[in-house]
Amino acid sequence: MSDLSTEIETSASSLSDSAEELEELLEDRVRPKNENYFNQTIPQYNAQEFLEHFRISRHVANSIAEEFQNSDYYKRHAGCYGKLSALNQTYIFLWFVGHQTASFRDVADRFSITISSLFRVIQRVSYFLSNLSPQIIKWPTLEEKNEIESHFRQNGFPGVLGVIDGTHIKIDKPSDDPDSYINRKGFYSIQVPLLCDHQLKIRDVFIGYPGSVHDSRVFRSSPLCQSLLEKCHDLYILGDSGYPLLPNLLTPFKDRGQLTRAQSNYNVKLSKNRYLIEHCIGLLKQKFRQLFHVKLRSIISIAHLIRACCILHNMALMDDFHYEENDNQIERVFPILNMDENDPDEEPEDRNGIHIRNRVVNILRQ
């Protein structure tokens, strides 16, 4: 904890110094402050209004604030933030991650704080939430595995524990090795592979690889790949053509015009079950719209903020959040059934994976 706290303070201090320099340039005039927002405006929001502003329910927000207040992330620095309660810091963070177009200045003015204070709040709450990951983003228990498998079986694809895909989180140009972060669509990004279950609960997330790295390589470097057999046993997860075919990771047949009817049927059923990961990623980005373009500078801070949003997603799954199917900003990750025949990143398929996929093809045709 001490090493992590030092890292937080070093990063936060760097951000604060830059922010304070910026503030000196911007504070030539007295800026209007929203003095009563905490005490008068927020308490007047009904349940739906609160959800629209803070992206999670009031009950979940209050629960997070209470846990934050009891953590070292808040206690160690309570003296520096005597005017900002744990609840108010939680509100500030939720507003920031929930609004894509809000500038740092807009958020600071809304909550009557300085930009440097805003950066420190973002850092502190990000790290607090991110480090809840072992309790919140967990592999399913045996009972949960049975429930998940039953859902996919009823949807025409038995033996499945979850679906996986990646999304690119847009970032500003990094200071170190920027070219490695340029993805195939030409913008700077960080790769975030996610695995979810039938209820859109995130069961695994791996954050930090630059945008130029291929999905397959990112996955093979992940802890999930190293422990997949141990976690799945005789079950498997579903992925698209960007992932390697493995005994516990089933991918589509590459359609080059020679698929059998049974293979095409397998592809269709796999595709129909993979819609869940698109829905999960779409819901995650609609709730926490900073994920369309994270404007922090430190890659470490960005990674913690992304993981914090994944934590919030799982904690707030029962909220009545309206999901917009036609949000133009959400990338479409489904279906992807073809890979360029000359793709240099394509790798040979695993023999055991081929055997298991062929067995599943025969099961699905019955």
Side-chain angles (χ1 to χ4, degrees):
M1 178 68 75
S2 60
D3 291 343
L4 180 56
S5 298
T6 301
E7 180 186 347
I8 296 173
E9 285 309 301
T10 300
S11 182
S13 175
S14 176
L15 284 170
S16 300
D17 290 344
S18 299
E20 286 167 355
E21 290 176 6
L22 178 62
E23 281 186 303
E24 289 179 2
L25 297 176
L26 294 176
E27 295 289 354
D28 292 336
R29 65 180 179 85
V30 177
R31 289 181 172 270
K33 296 292 184 180
N34 202 351
E35 298 287 356
N36 299 318
Y37 190 65
F38 281 130
N39 298 326
Q40 296 184 15
T41 306
I42 295 177
Q44 293 179 15
Y45 288 150
N46 61 33
Q48 185 58 37
E49 290 169 339
F50 187 93
L51 189 62
E52 290 172 357
H53 283 277
F54 295 101
R55 320 308 282 173
I56 63 176
S57 66
R58 193 188 303 270
H59 168 73
V60 175
N62 290 345
S63 176
I64 291 170
E66 182 177 351
E67 192 164 352
F68 176 52
Q69 184 173 6
N70 293 325
S71 73
D72 287 341
Y73 295 93
Y74 178 75
K75 288 180 179 179
R76 282 170 58 89
H77 307 282
C80 300
Y81 304 97
K83 295 182 180 179
L84 278 179
S85 67
L87 180 61
N88 287 352
Q89 290 190 51
T90 302
Y91 287 161
I92 291 168
F93 179 81
L94 291 174
W95 180 276
F96 174 75
V97 296
H99 294 80
Q100 177 191 7
T101 57
S103 68
F104 293 120
R105 168 56 65 189
D106 290 338
V107 180
D109 282 351
R110 173 174 290 273
F111 293 99
S112 299
I113 60 175
T114 63
I115 291 179
S116 55
S117 293
L118 172 61
F119 278 126
R120 287 191 289 264
V121 168
I122 292 169
Q123 287 279 72
R124 189 149 294 114
V125 180
S126 288
Y127 277 71
F128 161 71
L129 288 170
S130 176
N131 283 280
L132 293 179
S133 181
Q135 300 109 272
I136 306 298
I137 300 179
K138 300 187 293 185
W139 199 251
T141 64
L142 179 59
E143 182 179 354
E144 290 171 332
K145 286 180 179 179
N146 292 334
E147 179 184 343
I148 295 167
E149 196 279 337
S150 176
H151 167 86
F152 284 102
R153 180 180 294 273
Q154 293 175 15
N155 205 38
F157 211 117
V160 176
L161 276 182
V163 286
I164 188 170
D165 210 330
T167 185
H168 285 265
I169 304 297
K170 186 176 181 180
I171 62 174
D172 290 336
K173 182 179 179 179
S175 56
D176 295 331
D177 193 18
D179 289 348
S180 69
Y181 288 88
I182 301 177
N183 62 31
R184 293 186 179 187
K185 294 186 178 180
F187 61 86
Y188 299 101
S189 69
I190 288 179
Q191 290 241 43
V192 182
L194 295 158
L195 184 142
C196 76
D197 64 17
H198 64 301
Q199 295 179 324
L200 308 184
K201 187 173 186 177
I202 297 172
R203 293 293 184 169
D204 190 87
V205 61
F206 183 53
I207 305 166
Y209 262 75
S212 66
V213 183
H214 192 271
D215 287 355
S216 177
R217 180 183 167 192
V218 174
F219 176 74
R220 287 193 180 278
S221 301
S222 70
L224 176 61
C225 181
Q226 310 307 318
S227 59
L228 197 58
L229 176 59
E230 176 187 349
K231 288 183 172 180
C232 292
H233 298 289
D234 57 345
L235 303 176
Y236 31 80
I237 61 176
L238 304 179
D240 68 16
S241 302
Y243 287 87
L245 175 65
L246 299 172
N248 299 107
L249 171 53
L250 298 184
T251 60
F253 289 94
K254 296 173 177 62
D255 189 355
R256 290 162 179 154
Q258 299 177 332
L259 295 184
T260 66
R261 180 175 298 179
Q263 289 171 338
S264 295
N265 175 62
Y266 163 92
N267 275 7
V268 169
K269 289 191 174 183
L270 185 148
S271 181
K272 285 182 178 179
N273 280 276
R274 282 197 61 257
Y275 84 93
L276 289 164
I277 192 62
E278 176 189 357
H279 194 173
C280 177
I281 292 173
L283 183 61
L284 177 69
K285 287 191 170 183
Q286 276 194 9
K287 274 191 172 184
F288 311 112
R289 301 186 74 88
Q290 270 293 321
L291 296 182
F292 285 120
H293 185 177
V294 180
K295 301 175 184 66
L296 301 179
R297 301 297 298 176
S298 163
I299 296 298
I300 293 176
S301 296
I302 291 171
H304 278 290
L305 183 135
I306 294 169
R307 187 178 290 108
C309 290
C310 293
I311 297 292
L312 291 172
H313 168 91
N314 276 6
M315 296 181 76
L317 269 178
M318 301 308 294
D319 290 346
D320 186 22
F321 185 86
H322 177 63
Y323 174 64
E324 298 178 13
E325 293 280 356
N326 298 318
D327 192 327
N328 292 330
Q329 288 188 281
I330 296 175
E331 63 188 288
R332 296 300 162 196
V333 296
F334 156 85
I336 304 175
L337 297 183
N338 297 310
M339 180 177 281
D340 187 344
E341 192 165 2
N342 298 314
D343 192 329
D345 292 313
E346 186 173 352
E347 56 184 282
E349 294 179 328
D350 180 272
R351 288 186 178 183
N352 291 332
I354 292 173
H355 172 75
I356 291 175
R357 184 170 65 179
N358 288 338
R359 187 182 69 190
V360 172
V361 167
N362 292 328
I363 292 174
L364 296 182
R365 67 190 296 183
Q366 296 175 2

